Amino acid sequence: GGPPAGAAMATPDGVPQGAHNPAGMASPQQQQPPAGPRRELAAHLSSALAALASRLRARRTLRRILVANNGMAATKFISSVRQWALAQGVRDELSVVAMATPDDLASNQEYIRMADHFVEVPGGSSPANYGNPALIANLAERTGCDAVWPGWGHASEDPELPRALATAGIAFLGPPARAMGALGDKVASQILAQAAGVPTLPWSGSAVRVSLEQCSSLAIPDEAYNAACVDSADEAAARATEVGFPCMIKASAGGGGRGIRRVESSEQARAVFPQVMAEVPGSPIFLMRCAPVCRHVEVQLLADEHGNVASLHSR
């Protein structure tokens, strides 16, 4: 079938595609070779892809990828995957489908021109487009994509996206839902870090002890999780004293400046606790010592399901 209602499929030059293609997509305007050479080319490409899959011991091949992001993220991905495919001799076997809002189209975004095809999606905030797991999974299925790359931001850290894609039999180019759910939760990730022996700042869960074996499924026991959280203003005041000042009161589901306050005393902790609760309703809340003199250092790690891990050193 074609793209979902309200979504239009087109080639990068902006010409809408007709119904002659089952997925509502056609290749960029190119003169088709005669039937004989076309069959020979298809056989050659299939042979090259089969050889690559055999060499990499792949369980499946990906011929069409949906990029569920825009801007620089989409541009970098398309450029990188094209360079890789060209180096492997399978450039013509791989096509990229981009998502584009009306604003992206109006600004003539580079990633749209780079993609083989694009799907116009609703404008507005992220939940209406790039941050909508249901929409992304629906588009991937209807446009015949084998995989989805989420980029960063938007739905890239939403466990619902890999779950929705798994249901449709589509590969997610990212971590599994259970890992994303555990590491995306500030409380759970701290407990996991402690279980793995990673040093952490003093926090409200410093006394929580779970073994790495208990976390093998990446599910933190409820008793341990709850013990690391703070449930009331009075408890926040008492545990802030234990953690030490200056202290941060943080909502696990917070971000972007929401659900976080620095306090210098137990009285201040008691006063601002309700503010943190109100900014991120329903979120678990925890306390952590503030490191006032520090440097932000990130280490980018890339790992796969086969146990291979590589450090990329920087972004």
Side-chain angles (χ1 to χ4, degrees), residues 185-189 191 208 220-229 252 284:
D185 183 297
K186 296 180 179 66
V187 174
S189 60
I191 296 175
V208 174
I220 305 299
D222 289 342
E223 183 178 356
Y225 189 100
N226 294 335
C229 298
S252 179

Side-chain angles (χ1 to χ4, degrees), residues 179 182-183 187-198 210 212 215 218-220:
L183 298 179
V187 174
S189 60
Q190 285 288 123
I191 296 175
L192 279 172
Q194 288 183 169
V198 177
V210 295
L212 208 52
C215 305
L218 298 182
I220 305 299

Side-chain angles (χ1 to χ4, degrees), residues 16 62 69 74 85 92 104 107 119 124-125 131 133 139 142 147 168 187 190 192 212 220 251-252 266 299:
L62 307 179
N69 213 302
D92 293 328
D104 291 326
S107 59
V119 184
S125 60
L139 288 176
R142 287 177 175 267
V187 174
Q190 285 288 123
L192 279 172
L212 208 52
I220 305 299
S252 179
S266 57
V299 178

Side-chain angles (χ1 to χ4, degrees), residues 12-48:
D13 59 10
V15 180
Q17 298 306 302
H20 62 280
N21 184 289
M25 299 189 299
S27 301
Q29 295 178 352
Q30 294 177 345
Q31 185 176 2
Q32 292 291 340
R38 186 164 64 243
R39 280 196 297 269
E40 293 174 7
L41 176 62
H44 168 73
L45 292 175
S46 297
S47 175

